[in-house]
Amino acid sequence: MDRHIVSTPAAPAAIGPYSQAVCWDHLVFLSGQIPLDPATGQVVGGGIEAQTRRVLENLKAVLAAAGLDLGAVVRTTLFLVDLEDFALVNQVYAEYFPVNPPARSTVQVARLPRDVRIEIDAIAVRP
């Protein structure tokens, strides 16, 4: 089996002992991304829409480093601090997955790293 680590400076560096993504055979497991600006390492300003957009851009960057795009994503998990943000998150999410979106779970959590409002992880498939 083919296993390798994906890492890119175009997405925030891991803030713990984990990889941005791990490829295993045809599967790519992307660690959760939070709304950190990869250039500064700081949480992006703005509301939940801006944070969601930054998270999805970070995921896109990790996918690109694995030679993929969002079309390869088959599963995501969204972690929200407040489910009241659900509708706004969905609006932004739909911009990134306009057709045949991946399977998904959304859960409300008590707290996320750096006190952000959203984190998203993903699983993608390589051809």
Side-chain angles (χ1 to χ4, degrees), residues 7-8 18-19 26 28 34 36 39 42-43 48-50 56-57 62 78 84 89 91 93 100 109 111 114 123 125:
S7 181
T8 178
Y18 60 89
S19 301
H26 292 288
V28 181
I34 62 174
L36 296 180
Q42 300 302 309
V43 175
I48 191 63
E49 298 100 323
L56 290 164
E57 289 296 325
V62 176
L78 283 66
E84 291 294 322
V89 168
Q91 289 176 2
Y93 189 91
N100 301 320
V109 297
R111 191 171 180 199
R114 307 276 299 267
I123 300 170
V125 176

Side-chain angles (χ1 to χ4, degrees), residues 40-114:
T40 66
Q42 300 302 309
V43 175
V44 298
I48 191 63
E49 298 100 323
Q51 286 200 2
T52 302
R53 193 165 276 108
R54 180 72 260 163
V55 167
L56 290 164
E57 289 296 325
N58 291 345
L59 287 171
K60 277 177 57 175
V62 176
L63 285 164
L68 301 171
D69 60 28
L70 287 171
V73 175
V74 295
R75 177 85 165 85
T76 61
T77 306
L78 283 66
F79 303 93
L80 300 176
V81 171
D82 187 349
L83 279 177
E84 291 294 322
D85 291 334
F86 188 76
L88 293 173
V89 168
N90 273 340
Q91 289 176 2
V92 175
Y93 189 91
E95 295 172 19
Y96 287 81
F97 297 104
V99 180
N100 301 320
R104 179 180 102 177
S105 294
T106 303
V107 295
Q108 181 170 314
V109 297
R111 191 171 180 199
L112 290 167
R114 307 276 299 267

